[in-house]
Amino acid sequence: MDYFVHESSYVDEGAEVGAGTKIWHFCHIQSGAVIGENCSLGQNVNVAGGAVIGNRCKLQNNVSVYDGVVLEDGVFCGPSCVFTNDLTPRAEYPKGKENYKKTLVKRGASIGANATIVCGSTLGEYSMVAAGAVVTQDVPDHTLVMGIPARPAARVDEYGNITEWFEKC
């Protein structure tokens, strides 16, 4: 095993975890999950069997990555950010994972603490989602979105620096 797993965490048989990845306290990596190299998964992270996480991703505490969510390389997920995979969930009438909406978070994107990413959305390369925002539609590359629902507020570079504020923010 060329990755680290804290003794309180579970990596199910059939999960793929890349070299150099660190899985900290109370995590669960389900069978079928794919996690790339040199990632860091903070305390209480859950990765479902149909989720894919690229290389060099950082998931802070209390993040759950559900079936149908794909994080490309270098994605940052702030503490307690939330992904969904069903637009109309019902406990009594489950649709099954084949009917979940896909979510794609492209290379280098960052999601702030307590932000919610509604399924079916694509977050562009090096985009940023502000803490507490609720993303209900696609986010363009190099764009900072803020608010509920999240709206474009600024352009950002690969380092996260604001390069241009939009007029109405």
Side-chain angles (χ1 to χ4, degrees), residues 18-159:
T21 288
K22 292 180 172 64
I23 300 170
W24 294 101
H25 303 75
F26 311 114
C27 294
H28 184 194
I29 313 305
Q30 297 176 26
S31 181
V34 177
I35 300 173
E37 298 179 351
N38 299 310
C39 294
S40 177
L41 281 63
Q43 181 174 303
N44 197 38
V45 169
N46 179 65
V47 181
V52 177
I53 297 173
N55 298 319
R56 301 174 312 284
C57 291
K58 185 170 186 176
L59 284 66
Q60 298 284 47
N61 297 351
N62 304 311
V63 174
S64 291
V65 183
Y66 297 114
D67 287 325
V69 176
V70 174
L71 309 180
E72 290 185 351
D73 295 347
V75 168
F76 176 86
C77 295
S80 301
C81 77
V82 175
F83 293 96
T84 69
N85 60 9
D86 189 341
L87 289 175
T88 56
R90 293 286 194 202
E92 292 181 331
Y93 305 102
K95 296 172 192 69
K97 63 182 170 182
E98 63 277 357
N99 294 305
Y100 291 159
K101 299 282 186 189
K102 306 297 183 202
T103 297
L104 174 61
V105 182
K106 291 188 175 181
R107 181 173 187 250
S110 292
I111 302 167
N114 294 304
T116 299
I117 311 303
V118 175
C119 57
S121 302
T122 296
L123 279 60
E125 288 190 2
Y126 297 100
S127 62
M128 295 187 81
V129 176
V134 178
V135 174
T136 59
Q137 58 190 4
D138 293 350
V139 177
D141 294 349
H142 294 275
T143 301
L144 165 66
V145 295
M146 305 170 77
I148 303 172
R151 298 285 183 237
R155 287 203 43 85
V156 292
D157 64 17
E158 290 181 19
Y159 300 97

